Amino acid sequence: MAVREEGSDEEILEEKDASEVQCALVEHVRGIRSRKWTMHLGNVYKVGREGSAADIEVDHPSMSRRQCSLAVTRSEAGDLVLVAMDQGSTNGTFINKSRLEKGVGLTKPLAEVKHLVFGECPNGYKIMVTQGQSKERDRSRSPKQKQPKQESWDDMAASALRMKEATKKRAEEKDSTRHHFAPPTGPSRRERRAAGAGAAGSGGSTKVPGGAGNNPTKAAKASDIEWPEDWR
């Protein structure tokens, strides 16, 4: 008969719970996240002034060397709770604007803890909790890259038909522009060659237009000119 050690089931559950839940104390400076400290479930963390060798050190003159202690654990009902105790600080520790009583521990459901204030430090502090499955949810909710839309066979066929019609239309316009040139006027080159060959075969003399024999008016007028004595 196998012997099982007492409390082994509880240790397994605690290890599984610690791996699934992750907590951190986050510092906000003027509304902007500045630093964070990881808080393992069930561990106690000391808060103190800078240089006090505390687990969580805050650089502000109003802080005490032993400001307070913080821990995140589970209640009997299984809910996450914050356990805090002020260790006698000078300027106090505040949870939701309520000051902790010195030396008296406070247990508060983590869902009801809005923010923490240490002394007179103007920075705000909040405990953030993430579940082990939250990363998978974040991956599933992450925006997917847009895939290029694939055309169907009908769209591709219609596109090819439009391209074919456009090419045909451009070819028709080019042909119509080519045939719209006006034909040359007057006798063609062949007709001019035939006319020249007929004139050469007849053997007649060709009168040059504008000659003296063809213009008697100009010849008569030339006889009326008074020429110089030595030119006659």
Side-chain angles (χ1 to χ4, degrees):
M1 181 176 178
V3 179
R4 184 175 58 185
E5 296 181 1
E6 186 179 356
S8 60
D9 290 345
E10 293 180 359
E11 292 177 359
I12 293 172
L13 290 174
E14 286 180 359
E15 290 178 1
K16 183 179 179 181
D17 189 44
S19 63
E20 290 180 354
V21 179
Q22 296 179 355
C23 303
L25 180 68
V26 182
E27 180 184 52
H28 293 263
V29 179
R30 296 180 181 179
I32 301 174
R33 291 185 183 182
S34 176
R35 296 181 296 172
K36 72 174 183 178
W37 296 267
T38 302
M39 300 179 66
H40 296 286
L41 209 63
N43 292 1
V44 179
Y45 297 89
K46 296 179 181 180
V47 182
R49 187 173 62 240
E50 186 77 19
S52 63
D55 301 316
I56 300 172
E57 296 183 352
V58 179
D59 186 12
H60 196 269
S62 67
M63 294 285 296
S64 300
R65 293 182 62 85
R66 299 179 61 187
Q67 182 73 25
C68 65
S69 298
L70 302 175
V72 178
T73 184
R74 285 195 181 274
S75 64
E76 295 180 357
D79 299 327
L80 292 175
V81 294
L82 171 66
V83 180
M85 185 177 68
D86 190 294
Q87 298 176 348
S89 65
T90 303
N91 297 300
T93 303
F94 301 83
I95 297 178
N96 297 346
K97 298 183 180 181
S98 298
R99 183 167 182 168
L100 299 181
E101 188 177 350
K102 295 180 181 180
V104 178
L106 173 70
T107 302
K108 196 175 186 65
L110 198 59
E112 298 179 6
V113 178
K114 303 302 179 184
H115 56 83
L116 294 85
V117 176
F118 305 127
E120 298 177 357
C121 180
N123 302 337
Y125 297 84
K126 185 177 179 63
I127 297 178
M128 307 296 293
V129 180
T130 57
Q131 299 292 334
Q133 297 177 351
S134 63
K135 294 182 178 179
E136 296 180 2
R137 293 196 195 100
D138 292 342
R139 290 195 194 103
S140 63
R141 294 179 183 178
S142 60
K144 296 181 180 180
Q145 295 182 352
K146 271 192 172 182
Q147 298 294 336
K149 186 179 178 181
Q150 295 183 354
E151 294 184 357
S152 62
W153 285 106
D154 294 339
D155 296 337
M156 294 174 65
S159 178
L161 183 61
R162 286 194 298 269
M163 292 177 62
K164 184 177 180 181
E165 291 178 353
T167 305
K168 183 179 179 182
K169 186 177 180 181
R170 285 196 297 268
E172 291 177 352
E173 291 177 354
K174 189 175 181 181
D175 292 342
S176 62
T177 306
R178 186 184 301 170
H179 293 301
H180 282 169
F181 289 113
T185 59
S188 62
R189 185 180 297 177
R190 183 178 298 177
E191 293 175 352
R192 290 198 297 272
R193 286 180 181 176
S202 61
S205 60
T206 306
K207 295 182 179 180
V208 179
N214 297 331
N215 197 348
T217 306
K218 285 188 178 182
K221 287 184 178 180
S223 61
D224 296 336
I225 297 175
E226 293 183 359
W227 300 99
E229 291 292 338
D230 55 348
W231 284 15
R232 293 180 181 178

